[in-house]
Amino acid sequence: MEAPQYVAARVQQALAEDTRTHELGIHVDVRGDQMFLRGKVSGAEQRERLGAVAHEAAPGLRMHNEIKIVDYGEPGEDEHLD
Amino acid sequence: MSILTDLRIAAAGDLHLGEDARGSYRERLKGIEERADVLMLAGDLTRHGTLEEGRVVADELRDLPVPAVTVLGNHDYHSDLQHEIAAVLRDAGVIVLDDDGVVIQCGDSKLGVVGGKGFGGGFAGKCASEFGEREIKDFVGHTRQIADAWRVALKEMQVDRRVVLSHYSPVKETLEGEPLEIYPFLGSYLLAEAVDTAGAELILHGHAHKGSEKGLTPGGIRVRNVALPVLGRAYAVYCLNGG
């Protein structure tokens, strides 16, 4: 059986290199027959694509897509550099 | 002696605009002329570095009411179309730095912006050096060439204030939150050393999505990581106070 660390590395590599995603900052954890994806992206479509690519890379695992969608909204407060 | 007025710099990085993101960032730039004198973007404007994505970014930034300056990031290089993407952006009126500088007249003062993508290698005491295999020498040599170009560009500028724009980080403080193991792929101290030698008021960078916003070079220059996931807002505004 492939060690879970290698499975996680393979999935992470797929998320970075697959042309549908190219996402470098997603954390992948494999525990038993479960896989957890964590991180932040700017849209629901990208989260769905990441889930699909991860599932293809490790189809035998039950996936939990915990990636958070962040809305960058308004500019926020200015900082004065004296 | 000239008296400098306050200069307001809007900054963001790592927009990662795909073809499905058309119009989304432009909406957030509404009213930017009320808040800032110039917009600076720290690279990774696209997701895959395709020309189509480059065109999306160009349309988002076209004819803004303030000057827009950008560098490209590693994602913008992914499809080997960085020159084409830069050309599309320039056609839209965006200033694209590629290890060189530009002077922008902001009110009464001349702002010099120097920068480019930057590169990795790590930080003093824990970094790669130009030794051993050709591949390692090339890796470190690439960063060193970039740092040298920035140093020269900064020194040659006859301006009132200087800001450096990069994609990769010049310091490790703004990487806090990223795994230590990948620091050498996130930036290089050679970039900070060059800017400390030549002088600047502020360095902006992106690339490290899990990093921290605020840091300092060893020489005391303020560094800000403006990657959108770090900022958590559409853009930051940094005011360089007048003298």
Side-chain angles (χ1 to χ4, degrees):
Chain A
M1 195 183 119
E2 193 178 7
Q5 290 90 337
Y6 295 135
V7 178
R10 184 155 46 79
V11 172
Q12 205 153 20
Q13 199 169 349
L15 300 179
E17 294 178 2
D18 193 288
T19 54
R20 288 167 290 173
T21 51
H22 284 314
E23 194 72 52
L24 303 180
I26 302 300
H27 193 87
V28 181
D29 273 319
V30 175
R31 297 283 186 276
D33 62 352
Q34 303 191 84
M35 169 168 61
F36 299 82
L37 307 183
R38 292 199 300 272
K40 291 183 203 167
V41 296
S42 57
E45 300 86 359
Q46 179 72 346
R47 178 167 67 183
E48 295 314 308
R49 283 191 291 262
L50 288 161
V53 170
H55 176 68
E56 286 171 26
L61 298 179
R62 189 169 147 229
M63 189 183 63
H64 303 272
N65 189 343
E66 299 178 352
I67 295 168
K68 192 176 165 186
I69 295 168
V70 182
D71 179 14
Y72 299 120
E74 296 295 309
E77 191 189 5
D78 298 359
E79 181 188 358
H80 288 262
L81 302 174
D82 297 318
Chain B
M1 196 178 87
S2 66
I3 295 171
L4 297 176
T5 49
D6 288 359
L7 178 70
R8 302 166 302 166
I9 299 168
D14 303 75
L15 313 185
H16 291 293
L17 298 177
E19 290 176 49
D20 54 1
R22 196 175 286 279
S24 61
Y25 196 66
R26 180 71 181 208
E27 179 69 22
R28 287 162 190 165
L29 296 175
K30 266 188 188 164
I32 190 169
E33 69 276 18
E34 306 293 324
R35 306 186 55 113
D37 302 301
V38 59
L39 171 66
M40 298 197 193
L41 296 168
D44 273 6
L45 310 176
T46 67
R47 197 171 282 157
H48 313 152
T50 65
L51 200 50
E52 266 318 302
E53 290 178 344
R55 290 196 182 103
V56 170
V57 176
D59 287 342
E60 298 292 290
L61 303 176
R62 191 180 303 279
D63 299 327
L64 279 178
V66 295
V69 189
T70 193
V71 297
L72 300 184
N74 55 315
H75 280 247
D76 307 319
Y77 276 66
H78 180 70
S79 303
D80 291 322
L81 292 170
Q82 60 273 20
H83 300 300
E84 289 81 354
I85 290 172
V88 164
L89 291 169
R90 288 185 179 118
D91 283 346
V94 179
I95 299 163
V96 184
L97 297 179
D98 184 13
D99 300 333
D100 51 6
V102 65
V103 179
I104 300 168
Q105 189 71 41
C106 288
D108 294 336
S109 57
K110 280 194 172 102
L111 166 69
V113 191
V114 164
K117 174 178 64 64
F119 202 47
F123 299 90
K126 298 173 183 66
C127 58
S129 43
E130 286 187 79
F131 178 82
E133 299 92 325
R134 173 47 54 199
E135 289 82 357
I136 289 287
K137 288 178 196 152
D138 288 347
F139 181 77
V140 179
H142 182 52
T143 310
R144 196 176 293 282
Q145 280 177 3
I146 289 168
D148 286 344
W150 294 7
R151 184 187 296 114
V152 170
L154 282 167
K155 282 191 168 170
E156 285 180 348
M157 272 186 162
Q158 302 295 317
V159 291
D160 300 307
R161 17 196 23 155
R162 291 174 176 79
V163 171
V164 172
L165 185 58
S166 174
H167 181 60
Y168 285 77
S169 177
V171 297
K172 57 186 179 186
E173 283 91 336
T174 49
L175 304 181
E176 276 177 20
E178 294 280 2
L180 280 172
E181 294 87 339
I182 66 167
Y183 276 23
F185 303 103
L186 298 178
S188 165
Y189 81 98
L190 295 173
L191 306 174
E193 187 181 43
V195 182
D196 273 337
T197 304
E201 289 181 69
L202 175 65
I203 307 176
L204 301 168
H205 75 88
H207 193 44
H209 292 199
K210 295 179 195 161
S212 311
E213 185 182 352
K214 298 177 185 182
L216 279 175
T217 67
I221 297 171
R222 248 75 73 97
V223 180
R224 295 292 179 266
N225 176 357
V226 295
L228 281 185
V230 172
L231 292 180
R233 53 197 196 273
Y235 53 84
V237 179
Y238 303 111
C239 299
L240 301 183
N241 289 350

